[in-house]
Amino acid sequence: MSALEPRDAEVAAAPIAPPSELKGGILRAPYRALSLGIVSVVLLIAFEATAVGTAMPVAARELDGVSLYAFAFSAYFTTSLFGMVLSGQWADRRGPLGPLATGIAAFAAGLLLSGTAGAMWMFILGRAVQGLGGGLVIVALYVVVSRAYPEHLRPSILAAFAASWVVPSVVGPLVSGTVTEHLGWRWVFVGIPVLVVAPLAIALPAIRRTASGPVDPSAPVEAFDRRRVRLALGISLGAGLLQYAGQDLRWLSLLPAAVGAAVLVPAVLGLLPRGTYRAVRGLPSVVLLRGIAAGSFIAAESFVPLMLVTQRGLSPTMAGLSLAVGGATWALGSYVQSRPRMEPHRGKLMLVGMVLVAASIAAAPTVLIEAVPAWTVAVAWAFGCFGMGMVIASTSVLLLRLSPPKDAGANSAALQISDGLSNALLLAVGGAAFAALGGGMVGATHGAGGASGSHPGAFVAVFLPMAAVALVGAWVGTRLKERTE
Protein backbone atom coordinates (compact mmCIF):
# COMPACT_ATOMS: atom_id res chain seq x y z
CA MET A 1 0.00 0.00 0.00
CA SER A 2 1.07 3.44 -0.63
CA ALA A 3 -0.48 4.57 2.23
CA LEU A 4 -2.43 7.49 1.96
CA GLU A 5 -3.24 7.43 5.00
CA PRO A 6 -2.64 9.31 7.78
CA ARG A 7 -4.41 6.31 10.12
CA ASP A 8 -3.72 7.98 21.48
CA ALA A 9 -4.24 7.70 23.90
CA GLU A 10 -7.57 8.20 25.48
CA VAL A 11 -8.40 11.74 24.48
CA ALA A 12 -11.45 13.84 25.13
CA ALA A 13 -14.36 13.28 22.81
CA ALA A 14 -14.51 15.47 19.73
CA PRO A 15 -16.90 18.44 19.82
CA ILE A 16 -20.48 17.47 19.21
CA ALA A 17 -21.78 18.86 15.96
CA PRO A 18 -25.22 20.40 15.57
CA PRO A 19 -27.86 18.11 13.99
CA SER A 20 -27.78 20.08 10.74
CA GLU A 21 -24.08 19.29 10.39
CA LEU A 22 -24.43 15.59 11.15
CA LYS A 23 -27.07 14.85 8.52
CA GLY A 24 -25.31 13.72 5.36
CA GLY A 25 -21.82 14.22 6.80
CA ILE A 26 -19.09 14.58 4.19
CA LEU A 27 -21.66 14.18 1.39
CA ARG A 28 -23.68 17.23 2.42
CA ALA A 29 -23.98 19.87 -0.29
CA PRO A 30 -21.07 22.06 0.93
CA TYR A 31 -18.68 19.09 0.99
CA ARG A 32 -19.99 16.67 -1.66
CA ALA A 33 -17.90 17.72 -4.66
CA LEU A 34 -14.74 18.12 -2.58
CA SER A 35 -15.20 14.73 -0.89
CA LEU A 36 -15.75 12.93 -4.19
CA GLY A 37 -12.79 14.73 -5.73
CA ILE A 38 -10.15 14.01 -3.11
CA VAL A 39 -11.38 10.46 -2.57
CA SER A 40 -10.97 9.90 -6.31
CA VAL A 41 -7.32 10.94 -5.97
CA VAL A 42 -6.85 8.40 -3.20
CA LEU A 43 -8.61 5.81 -5.36
CA LEU A 44 -6.04 6.36 -8.11
CA ILE A 45 -3.12 5.96 -5.69
CA ALA A 46 -4.73 2.86 -4.19
CA PHE A 47 -5.15 1.25 -7.60
CA GLU A 48 -1.56 2.05 -8.49
CA ALA A 49 -0.22 0.58 -5.26
CA THR A 50 -2.11 -2.70 -5.55
CA ALA A 51 -1.50 -3.07 -9.29
CA VAL A 52 2.21 -2.22 -9.24
CA GLY A 53 2.82 -4.44 -6.21
CA THR A 54 1.47 -7.39 -8.17
CA ALA A 55 3.63 -6.69 -11.23
CA MET A 56 6.81 -5.86 -9.32
CA PRO A 57 8.20 -9.41 -8.86
CA VAL A 58 7.93 -10.09 -12.60
CA ALA A 59 9.49 -6.72 -13.48
CA ALA A 60 12.42 -7.34 -11.13
CA ARG A 61 13.09 -10.79 -12.60
CA GLU A 62 12.88 -9.66 -16.23
CA LEU A 63 15.23 -6.74 -15.55
CA ASP A 64 17.63 -9.04 -13.65
CA GLY A 65 17.15 -6.90 -10.57
CA VAL A 66 15.80 -9.20 -7.84
CA SER A 67 18.79 -8.28 -5.66
CA LEU A 68 17.60 -4.66 -5.89
CA TYR A 69 13.96 -5.55 -5.23
CA ALA A 70 13.74 -3.62 -1.95
CA PHE A 71 15.38 -0.60 -3.59
CA ALA A 72 12.54 -0.41 -6.12
CA PHE A 73 10.16 0.21 -3.21
CA SER A 74 12.41 2.30 -0.99
CA ALA A 75 13.39 4.69 -3.82
CA TYR A 76 9.76 5.77 -3.88
CA PHE A 77 9.78 6.56 -0.18
CA THR A 78 13.19 8.27 -0.28
CA THR A 79 12.23 10.94 -2.80
CA SER A 80 8.77 11.29 -1.29
CA LEU A 81 10.47 12.62 1.86
CA PHE A 82 11.65 15.70 -0.01
CA GLY A 83 8.27 16.05 -1.70
CA MET A 84 6.52 16.03 1.68
CA VAL A 85 8.54 18.91 3.11
CA LEU A 86 8.23 20.92 -0.10
CA SER A 87 4.49 20.27 -0.21
CA GLY A 88 4.03 21.31 3.43
CA GLN A 89 5.68 24.68 2.85
CA TRP A 90 4.00 25.19 -0.51
CA ALA A 91 0.54 24.39 0.87
CA ASP A 92 0.92 26.51 4.02
CA ARG A 93 2.04 29.55 2.00
CA ARG A 94 0.02 29.33 -1.22
CA GLY A 95 -2.60 26.66 -0.61
CA PRO A 96 -2.72 22.92 -1.48
CA LEU A 97 -3.87 23.24 -5.10
CA GLY A 98 -0.40 23.73 -6.63
CA PRO A 99 1.40 20.85 -4.91
CA LEU A 100 -1.52 18.52 -5.54
CA ALA A 101 -1.64 19.17 -9.30
CA THR A 102 2.15 19.03 -9.64
CA GLY A 103 2.33 15.86 -7.57
CA ILE A 104 -0.21 13.99 -9.67
CA ALA A 105 1.68 14.96 -12.84
CA ALA A 106 5.01 13.72 -11.41
CA PHE A 107 3.31 10.55 -10.21
CA ALA A 108 2.16 9.78 -13.76
CA ALA A 109 5.55 10.66 -15.27
CA GLY A 110 7.33 8.26 -12.92
CA LEU A 111 5.02 5.43 -13.91
CA LEU A 112 5.79 6.03 -17.58
CA LEU A 113 9.52 6.10 -16.91
CA SER A 114 9.43 2.78 -15.01
CA GLY A 115 7.19 1.18 -17.61
CA THR A 116 9.63 1.94 -20.42
CA ALA A 117 12.82 1.12 -18.48
CA GLY A 118 15.36 -1.22 -20.06
CA ALA A 119 17.39 -1.78 -16.90
CA MET A 120 16.64 -2.08 -13.20
CA TRP A 121 18.33 1.19 -12.27
CA MET A 122 16.20 3.09 -14.80
CA PHE A 123 13.16 1.36 -13.35
CA ILE A 124 14.23 2.54 -9.88
CA LEU A 125 14.68 6.10 -11.22
CA GLY A 126 11.08 6.04 -12.39
CA ARG A 127 9.98 4.92 -8.95
CA ALA A 128 11.94 7.85 -7.48
CA VAL A 129 10.14 10.36 -9.72
CA GLN A 130 6.86 8.76 -8.77
CA GLY A 131 7.76 9.07 -5.09
CA LEU A 132 8.39 12.80 -5.44
CA GLY A 133 4.89 13.17 -6.82
CA GLY A 134 3.41 10.98 -4.11
CA GLY A 135 5.05 13.09 -1.39
CA LEU A 136 3.58 16.26 -2.84
CA VAL A 137 0.10 14.74 -3.09
CA ILE A 138 -0.25 13.17 0.35
CA VAL A 139 0.65 16.28 2.37
CA ALA A 140 -1.50 18.50 0.14
CA LEU A 141 -4.48 16.21 0.76
CA TYR A 142 -4.10 16.50 4.52
CA VAL A 143 -3.96 20.28 4.28
CA VAL A 144 -7.20 20.14 2.27
CA VAL A 145 -8.81 18.04 5.02
CA SER A 146 -7.55 20.41 7.72
CA ARG A 147 -8.86 23.52 5.96
CA ALA A 148 -12.08 22.35 4.39
CA TYR A 149 -13.62 20.04 7.02
CA PRO A 150 -14.64 20.79 10.61
CA GLU A 151 -13.05 18.57 13.24
CA HIS A 152 -16.08 16.32 13.73
CA LEU A 153 -16.05 15.37 10.01
CA ARG A 154 -12.33 14.62 9.73
CA PRO A 155 -12.56 11.00 11.02
CA SER A 156 -15.25 10.36 8.40
CA ILE A 157 -13.29 11.71 5.43
CA LEU A 158 -10.21 9.77 6.58
CA ALA A 159 -12.37 6.65 6.84
CA ALA A 160 -13.52 7.36 3.27
CA PHE A 161 -9.86 7.47 2.23
CA ALA A 162 -9.42 3.99 3.66
CA ALA A 163 -12.67 2.74 2.09
CA SER A 164 -11.41 3.84 -1.31
CA TRP A 165 -8.82 1.06 -1.08
CA VAL A 166 -11.43 -1.71 -1.01
CA VAL A 167 -12.27 -1.98 -4.73
CA PRO A 168 -8.65 -1.42 -5.94
CA SER A 169 -7.38 -4.04 -3.50
CA VAL A 170 -9.57 -6.62 -5.24
CA VAL A 171 -9.62 -5.33 -8.80
CA GLY A 172 -6.01 -4.08 -8.87
CA PRO A 173 -4.24 -7.42 -8.38
CA LEU A 174 -6.68 -9.22 -10.68
CA VAL A 175 -6.30 -6.71 -13.52
CA SER A 176 -2.56 -6.29 -12.98
CA GLY A 177 -1.95 -10.02 -12.79
CA THR A 178 -3.96 -10.69 -15.94
CA VAL A 179 -2.21 -7.92 -17.85
CA THR A 180 1.21 -9.04 -16.59
CA GLU A 181 0.65 -12.65 -17.61
CA HIS A 182 -0.88 -11.97 -21.03
CA LEU A 183 0.55 -8.60 -22.18
CA GLY A 184 3.57 -8.03 -19.95
CA TRP A 185 4.32 -6.05 -16.79
CA ARG A 186 5.15 -2.86 -18.72
CA TRP A 187 1.52 -2.33 -19.65
CA VAL A 188 0.61 -2.13 -15.97
CA PHE A 189 2.89 0.89 -15.52
CA VAL A 190 2.18 2.73 -18.77
CA GLY A 191 -1.58 2.14 -18.54
CA ILE A 192 -2.20 3.64 -15.10
CA PRO A 193 -1.35 7.28 -16.06
CA VAL A 194 -4.48 7.33 -18.22
CA LEU A 195 -6.45 7.20 -14.97
CA VAL A 196 -4.96 10.53 -13.83
CA VAL A 197 -7.41 12.56 -15.93
CA ALA A 198 -10.54 11.75 -13.91
CA PRO A 199 -9.14 12.64 -10.45
CA LEU A 200 -7.73 15.90 -11.80
CA ALA A 201 -11.05 16.84 -13.40
CA ILE A 202 -13.02 16.16 -10.21
CA ALA A 203 -10.63 17.25 -7.47
CA LEU A 204 -8.96 20.43 -8.67
CA PRO A 205 -12.09 22.59 -9.25
CA ALA A 206 -13.51 21.54 -5.87
CA ILE A 207 -10.25 22.34 -4.07
CA ARG A 208 -9.99 25.69 -5.86
CA ARG A 209 -13.43 26.64 -4.50
CA THR A 210 -12.98 25.45 -0.92
CA ALA A 211 -9.33 25.24 0.13
CA SER A 212 -7.10 27.19 -2.24
CA GLY A 213 -4.85 30.09 -1.33
CA PRO A 214 -3.12 30.92 1.97
CA VAL A 215 -4.96 30.68 5.30
CA ASP A 216 -4.98 34.47 5.62
CA PRO A 217 -5.18 36.03 2.11
CA SER A 218 -4.56 39.51 3.55
CA ALA A 219 -1.25 38.54 5.15
CA PRO A 220 2.00 38.78 3.15
CA VAL A 221 3.12 35.47 1.68
CA GLU A 222 6.15 34.14 3.54
CA ALA A 223 9.19 32.95 1.64
CA PHE A 224 10.03 29.26 1.66
CA ASP A 225 12.10 28.21 4.65
CA ARG A 226 15.34 27.35 2.90
CA ARG A 227 16.70 25.64 5.98
CA ARG A 228 13.83 23.14 5.98
CA VAL A 229 14.30 22.56 2.25
CA ARG A 230 18.00 21.82 2.82
CA LEU A 231 17.12 19.48 5.68
CA ALA A 232 14.63 17.70 3.41
CA LEU A 233 17.34 17.22 0.78
CA GLY A 234 19.57 15.88 3.56
CA ILE A 235 16.96 13.32 4.56
CA SER A 236 16.52 12.10 1.00
CA LEU A 237 20.26 11.97 0.31
CA GLY A 238 21.06 10.29 3.61
CA ALA A 239 18.32 7.69 3.26
CA GLY A 240 19.39 7.00 -0.33
CA LEU A 241 23.03 6.42 0.66
CA LEU A 242 22.01 4.09 3.48
CA GLN A 243 19.80 2.11 1.11
CA TYR A 244 22.59 1.82 -1.44
CA ALA A 245 25.01 0.61 1.24
CA GLY A 246 22.46 -1.91 2.48
CA GLN A 247 22.01 -3.36 -0.99
CA ASP A 248 25.71 -3.37 -1.96
CA LEU A 249 26.95 -5.48 1.00
CA ARG A 250 30.68 -4.79 0.51
CA TRP A 251 33.20 -3.34 2.95
CA LEU A 252 33.47 -0.28 0.73
CA SER A 253 29.77 0.31 1.37
CA LEU A 254 30.60 1.39 4.92
CA LEU A 255 31.72 4.74 3.50
CA PRO A 256 28.39 5.74 1.87
CA ALA A 257 26.63 4.32 4.95
CA ALA A 258 28.64 6.59 7.26
CA VAL A 259 28.09 9.63 5.04
CA GLY A 260 24.38 8.83 4.81
CA ALA A 261 24.01 8.58 8.58
CA ALA A 262 25.97 11.81 9.12
CA VAL A 263 23.65 13.67 6.75
CA LEU A 264 20.43 11.96 7.82
CA VAL A 265 20.50 12.26 11.61
CA PRO A 266 20.71 16.07 11.93
CA ALA A 267 18.18 16.51 9.12
CA VAL A 268 15.66 14.26 10.87
CA LEU A 269 16.17 16.00 14.21
CA GLY A 270 15.57 19.35 12.51
CA LEU A 271 12.35 18.37 10.75
CA LEU A 272 10.46 16.20 13.24
CA PRO A 273 8.92 17.52 16.47
CA ARG A 274 11.41 17.73 19.32
CA GLY A 275 11.32 14.56 21.37
CA THR A 276 9.98 12.31 18.60
CA TYR A 277 12.58 9.59 19.01
CA ARG A 278 12.30 9.75 22.80
CA ALA A 279 8.55 9.13 22.46
CA VAL A 280 7.70 12.32 24.36
CA ARG A 281 3.99 12.37 25.13
CA GLY A 282 1.63 14.11 22.74
CA LEU A 283 2.47 15.16 19.19
CA PRO A 284 6.01 13.66 19.15
CA SER A 285 4.66 10.20 20.00
CA VAL A 286 1.87 10.54 17.43
CA VAL A 287 4.49 11.22 14.75
CA LEU A 288 6.72 8.38 15.96
CA LEU A 289 3.89 5.84 16.03
CA ARG A 290 2.92 6.76 12.48
CA GLY A 291 6.40 5.85 11.30
CA ILE A 292 6.64 2.64 13.29
CA ALA A 293 3.26 1.35 12.12
CA ALA A 294 3.66 2.23 8.46
CA GLY A 295 7.33 1.29 8.19
CA SER A 296 7.08 -2.16 9.76
CA PHE A 297 3.92 -3.11 7.87
CA ILE A 298 4.89 -1.77 4.43
CA ALA A 299 8.41 -3.21 4.61
CA ALA A 300 6.96 -6.63 5.35
CA GLU A 301 4.14 -6.35 2.81
CA SER A 302 6.59 -5.51 0.02
CA PHE A 303 8.04 -9.02 0.25
CA VAL A 304 4.77 -10.96 0.46
CA PRO A 305 4.12 -11.26 -3.32
CA LEU A 306 7.77 -12.17 -3.99
CA MET A 307 7.63 -14.87 -1.30
CA LEU A 308 4.44 -16.39 -2.67
CA VAL A 309 5.62 -16.33 -6.30
CA THR A 310 9.11 -17.72 -5.72
CA GLN A 311 8.60 -20.02 -2.73
CA ARG A 312 5.07 -21.34 -3.21
CA GLY A 313 4.77 -21.12 -7.01
CA LEU A 314 1.73 -18.84 -7.10
CA SER A 315 1.03 -16.78 -10.20
CA PRO A 316 1.43 -12.99 -9.91
CA THR A 317 -2.36 -12.70 -9.97
CA MET A 318 -2.89 -15.08 -7.07
CA ALA A 319 -0.02 -13.60 -5.09
CA GLY A 320 -1.53 -10.13 -5.45
CA LEU A 321 -5.01 -11.36 -4.59
CA SER A 322 -3.67 -12.85 -1.35
CA LEU A 323 -3.50 -9.27 -0.09
CA ALA A 324 -6.81 -8.17 -1.61
CA VAL A 325 -9.02 -8.80 1.40
CA GLY A 326 -6.74 -6.50 3.38
CA GLY A 327 -8.19 -3.48 1.59
CA ALA A 328 -11.64 -4.27 2.98
CA THR A 329 -10.43 -4.92 6.52
CA TRP A 330 -8.26 -1.78 6.47
CA ALA A 331 -11.37 0.21 5.55
CA LEU A 332 -13.31 -1.57 8.30
CA GLY A 333 -10.69 -0.66 10.88
CA SER A 334 -10.75 2.95 9.76
CA TYR A 335 -14.55 2.94 9.92
CA VAL A 336 -14.47 1.60 13.46
CA GLN A 337 -12.23 4.44 14.65
CA SER A 338 -14.47 7.02 12.96
CA ARG A 339 -17.53 6.16 15.07
CA PRO A 340 -18.21 8.92 17.66
CA ARG A 341 -18.78 6.39 20.45
CA MET A 342 -15.28 4.99 19.92
CA GLU A 343 -13.58 8.34 20.57
CA PRO A 344 -13.06 7.77 24.32
CA HIS A 345 -11.47 4.38 23.52
CA ARG A 346 -9.09 5.57 20.78
CA GLY A 347 -6.01 4.68 22.82
CA LYS A 348 -7.14 1.09 23.33
CA LEU A 349 -8.01 0.77 19.65
CA MET A 350 -4.51 1.80 18.67
CA LEU A 351 -2.87 -0.56 21.14
CA VAL A 352 -4.93 -3.50 19.88
CA GLY A 353 -4.23 -2.41 16.31
CA MET A 354 -0.46 -2.53 16.76
CA VAL A 355 -0.65 -5.97 18.39
CA LEU A 356 -2.65 -7.22 15.39
CA VAL A 357 -0.05 -5.74 13.02
CA ALA A 358 2.80 -7.47 14.84
CA ALA A 359 0.97 -10.80 14.89
CA SER A 360 0.11 -10.68 11.18
CA ILE A 361 3.72 -9.93 10.18
CA ALA A 362 5.03 -12.74 12.37
CA ALA A 363 2.49 -15.20 10.93
CA ALA A 364 3.21 -14.47 7.25
CA PRO A 365 6.47 -16.50 6.88
CA THR A 366 4.78 -19.63 8.19
CA VAL A 367 3.80 -20.29 4.55
CA LEU A 368 7.45 -21.12 3.91
CA ILE A 369 6.52 -24.46 5.49
CA GLU A 370 4.98 -26.55 2.70
CA ALA A 371 2.34 -28.02 5.02
CA VAL A 372 0.94 -24.55 5.76
CA PRO A 373 -1.68 -23.47 3.18
CA ALA A 374 -0.72 -20.43 1.11
CA TRP A 375 -4.02 -18.76 2.00
CA THR A 376 -2.71 -18.37 5.56
CA VAL A 377 -1.04 -15.15 4.40
CA ALA A 378 -4.38 -13.75 3.26
CA VAL A 379 -5.97 -14.43 6.65
CA ALA A 380 -3.03 -13.00 8.58
CA TRP A 381 -2.88 -9.90 6.40
CA ALA A 382 -6.60 -9.28 6.81
CA PHE A 383 -6.13 -8.98 10.58
CA GLY A 384 -3.03 -6.84 10.15
CA CYS A 385 -4.81 -4.46 7.79
CA PHE A 386 -7.70 -4.14 10.24
CA GLY A 387 -5.20 -3.02 12.87
CA MET A 388 -3.55 -0.62 10.44
CA GLY A 389 -6.91 0.91 9.58
CA MET A 390 -7.48 1.82 13.22
CA VAL A 391 -3.93 3.04 13.88
CA ILE A 392 -3.19 5.07 10.75
CA ALA A 393 -6.48 6.96 10.64
CA SER A 394 -6.23 7.68 14.37
CA THR A 395 -2.75 9.18 14.08
CA SER A 396 -4.07 11.52 11.39
CA VAL A 397 -7.05 12.56 13.49
CA LEU A 398 -4.81 13.31 16.46
CA LEU A 399 -2.26 15.20 14.40
CA LEU A 400 -4.86 17.51 12.87
CA ARG A 401 -6.43 18.04 16.29
CA LEU A 402 -3.07 19.11 17.73
CA SER A 403 -2.20 21.40 14.77
CA PRO A 404 -3.40 25.00 14.36
CA PRO A 405 -4.44 25.74 10.76
CA LYS A 406 -1.28 27.72 9.97
CA ASP A 407 0.88 24.74 10.97
CA ALA A 408 -1.23 22.00 9.38
CA GLY A 409 1.10 21.68 6.38
CA ALA A 410 4.32 21.52 8.39
CA ASN A 411 2.92 19.06 10.93
CA SER A 412 1.33 16.90 8.22
CA ALA A 413 4.71 16.88 6.50
CA ALA A 414 6.35 15.76 9.76
CA LEU A 415 3.85 12.91 10.05
CA GLN A 416 4.50 11.82 6.48
CA ILE A 417 8.27 12.22 6.85
CA SER A 418 8.12 9.81 9.78
CA ASP A 419 6.10 7.45 7.60
CA GLY A 420 8.32 7.71 4.52
CA LEU A 421 11.62 7.69 6.40
CA SER A 422 10.61 4.62 8.38
CA ASN A 423 9.51 2.90 5.17
CA ALA A 424 12.81 3.71 3.46
CA LEU A 425 15.05 2.72 6.36
CA LEU A 426 13.20 -0.45 7.31
CA LEU A 427 13.07 -1.50 3.66
CA ALA A 428 16.81 -0.88 3.48
CA VAL A 429 17.41 -3.00 6.59
CA GLY A 430 15.07 -5.71 5.35
CA GLY A 431 16.58 -5.62 1.88
CA ALA A 432 20.11 -5.91 3.28
CA ALA A 433 19.16 -8.91 5.41
CA PHE A 434 17.32 -10.44 2.45
CA ALA A 435 20.34 -10.03 0.14
CA ALA A 436 22.84 -11.21 2.77
CA LEU A 437 20.99 -14.52 3.19
CA GLY A 438 20.83 -15.31 -0.51
CA GLY A 439 17.68 -13.42 -1.44
CA GLY A 440 19.33 -12.07 -4.57
CA MET A 441 19.23 -15.59 -6.02
CA VAL A 442 15.52 -16.01 -5.32
CA GLY A 443 13.58 -16.34 -8.54
CA ALA A 444 16.73 -16.61 -10.64
CA THR A 445 14.94 -19.26 -12.70
CA HIS A 446 12.50 -17.50 -14.99
CA GLY A 447 9.87 -20.13 -14.87
CA ALA A 448 6.25 -19.56 -15.64
CA GLY A 449 5.34 -18.69 -12.12
CA GLY A 450 6.93 -21.76 -10.62
CA ALA A 451 8.95 -21.70 -7.46
CA SER A 452 12.69 -21.57 -7.85
CA GLY A 453 15.79 -21.58 -5.67
CA SER A 454 14.52 -21.84 -2.11
CA HIS A 455 15.95 -19.31 0.36
CA PRO A 456 13.39 -19.30 3.19
CA GLY A 457 15.84 -17.81 5.68
CA ALA A 458 16.07 -14.64 3.56
CA PHE A 459 12.34 -14.03 4.00
CA VAL A 460 12.33 -14.90 7.71
CA ALA A 461 15.07 -12.29 8.19
CA VAL A 462 12.68 -9.67 6.82
CA PHE A 463 9.43 -10.56 8.57
CA LEU A 464 10.42 -11.35 12.16
CA PRO A 465 12.38 -8.12 12.81
CA MET A 466 9.47 -6.10 11.40
CA ALA A 467 7.12 -7.87 13.80
CA ALA A 468 9.39 -6.84 16.68
CA VAL A 469 9.33 -3.21 15.48
CA ALA A 470 5.52 -3.31 15.42
CA LEU A 471 5.52 -4.46 19.05
CA VAL A 472 7.58 -1.41 19.97
CA GLY A 473 4.80 0.61 18.35
CA ALA A 474 2.30 -0.90 20.79
CA TRP A 475 4.32 0.64 23.65
CA VAL A 476 4.51 4.03 21.90
CA GLY A 477 0.74 3.88 21.59
CA THR A 478 0.47 4.24 25.37
CA ARG A 479 2.19 7.66 25.24
CA LEU A 480 -0.05 9.61 22.87
CA LYS A 481 -2.01 11.40 25.55
CA GLU A 482 -0.33 14.51 26.85
CA ARG A 483 0.30 14.37 30.57
CA THR A 484 -2.12 16.54 32.53
CA GLU A 485 -0.97 18.28 35.67
Side-chain angles (χ1 to χ4, degrees):
M1 287 185 187
S2 248
L4 228 246
E5 327 158 329
R7 288 186 259 248
D8 151 64
E10 298 171 2
V11 295
I16 298 175
S20 60
E21 285 287 312
L22 289 174
K23 187 176 180 180
I26 60 174
L27 293 180
R28 288 179 61 240
Y31 306 110
R32 186 180 301 121
L34 178 63
S35 297
L36 293 175
I38 61 177
V39 168
S40 69
V41 174
V42 180
L43 190 69
L44 166 68
I45 295 177
F47 183 80
E48 180 276 336
T50 55
V52 167
T54 301
M56 193 76 78
V58 178
R61 288 194 299 183
E62 288 194 7
L63 294 174
D64 295 321
V66 172
S67 62
L68 298 174
Y69 185 78
F71 218 169
F73 285 95
S74 59
Y76 178 101
F77 297 115
T78 300
T79 54
S80 71
L81 295 171
F82 177 72
M84 291 167 189
V85 176
L86 181 62
S87 183
Q89 294 211 21
W90 193 349
D92 279 344
R93 286 157 177 77
R94 296 179 173 85
L97 188 62
L100 184 63
T102 304
I104 292 178
F107 194 79
L111 282 165
L112 290 173
L113 187 57
S114 291
T116 56
M120 191 62 178
W121 281 111
M122 186 59 66
F123 180 88
I124 291 171
L125 177 61
R127 292 286 291 167
V129 173
Q130 190 184 346
L132 177 63
L136 290 169
V137 169
I138 180 59
V139 172
L141 282 177
Y142 279 97
V143 175
V144 171
V145 171
S146 174
R147 292 190 183 186
Y149 294 89
E151 184 175 330
H152 69 275
L153 288 181
R154 291 173 189 167
S156 296
I157 188 63
L158 292 171
F161 282 7
S164 66
W165 282 78
V166 175
V167 173
S169 66
V170 177
V171 175
L174 182 61
V175 173
S176 176
T178 301
V179 170
T180 298
E181 291 174 27
H182 296 284
L183 298 178
W185 63 268
R186 296 182 185 277
W187 287 99
V188 175
F189 288 83
V190 300
I192 291 176
V194 177
L195 303 177
V196 168
V197 177
L200 281 176
I202 298 173
L204 298 188
I207 293 172
R208 183 179 292 109
R209 289 193 303 269
T210 59
S212 62
V215 174
D216 184 0
S218 63
V221 178
E222 297 181 19
F224 276 52
D225 186 338
R226 295 183 179 180
R227 174 180 173 273
R228 289 184 66 85
V229 173
R230 288 195 300 269
L231 291 175
L233 285 171
I235 281 186
S236 294
L237 176 61
L241 288 172
L242 287 173
Q243 291 165 50
Y244 175 80
Q247 293 294 305
D248 197 34
L249 295 180
R250 294 183 298 170
W251 285 109
L252 288 176
S253 299
L254 291 177
L255 179 59
V259 174
V263 172
L264 181 66
V265 172
V268 170
L269 294 177
L271 287 173
L272 297 186
R274 182 171 297 179
T276 295
Y277 288 103
R278 291 185 287 112
V280 171
R281 290 183 177 274
L283 182 62
S285 286
V286 172
V287 172
L288 178 60
L289 180 58
R290 181 72 175 90
I292 289 176
S296 59
F297 193 76
I298 297 302
E301 184 179 64
S302 299
F303 284 87
V304 169
L306 185 66
M307 179 174 64
L308 293 175
V309 168
T310 61
Q311 304 299 298
R312 295 303 299 264
L314 270 65
S315 68
T317 303
M318 293 306 298
L321 284 174
S322 68
L323 304 179
V325 69
T329 57
W330 189 307
L332 179 61
S334 190
Y335 172 81
V336 168
Q337 67 79 38
S338 73
R339 298 299 85 199
R341 65 177 178 272
M342 301 305 296
E343 187 63 40
H345 310 292
R346 190 175 293 279
K348 294 179 181 178
L349 289 178
M350 298 179 79
L351 177 61
V352 171
M354 288 309 303
V355 171
L356 288 174
V357 169
S360 69
I361 296 173
T366 60
V367 299
L368 294 168
I369 303 171
E370 286 292 331
V372 177
W375 51 258
T376 301
V377 169
V379 175
W381 230 245
F383 282 99
C385 285
F386 179 77
M388 285 292 287
M390 293 191 293
V391 172
I392 298 300
S394 291
T395 58
S396 300
V397 170
L398 288 176
L399 179 108
L400 294 177
R401 182 177 301 165
L402 295 170
S403 302
K406 66 182 182 62
D407 295 329
N411 287 345
S412 294
L415 188 76
Q416 295 303 316
I417 287 169
S418 179
D419 178 323
L421 180 62
S422 180
N423 284 333
L425 293 181
L426 290 179
L427 273 166
V429 170
F434 182 73
L437 293 178
M441 298 301 295
V442 168
T445 303
H446 291 230
S452 55
S454 179
H455 292 77
F459 290 99
V460 172
V462 173
F463 287 98
L464 294 189
M466 298 308 154
V469 171
L471 282 178
V472 173
W475 171 76
V476 175
T478 66
R479 300 183 58 79
L480 304 181
K481 183 180 180 181
E482 295 180 319
R483 192 183 300 278
T484 55
E485 301 296 336

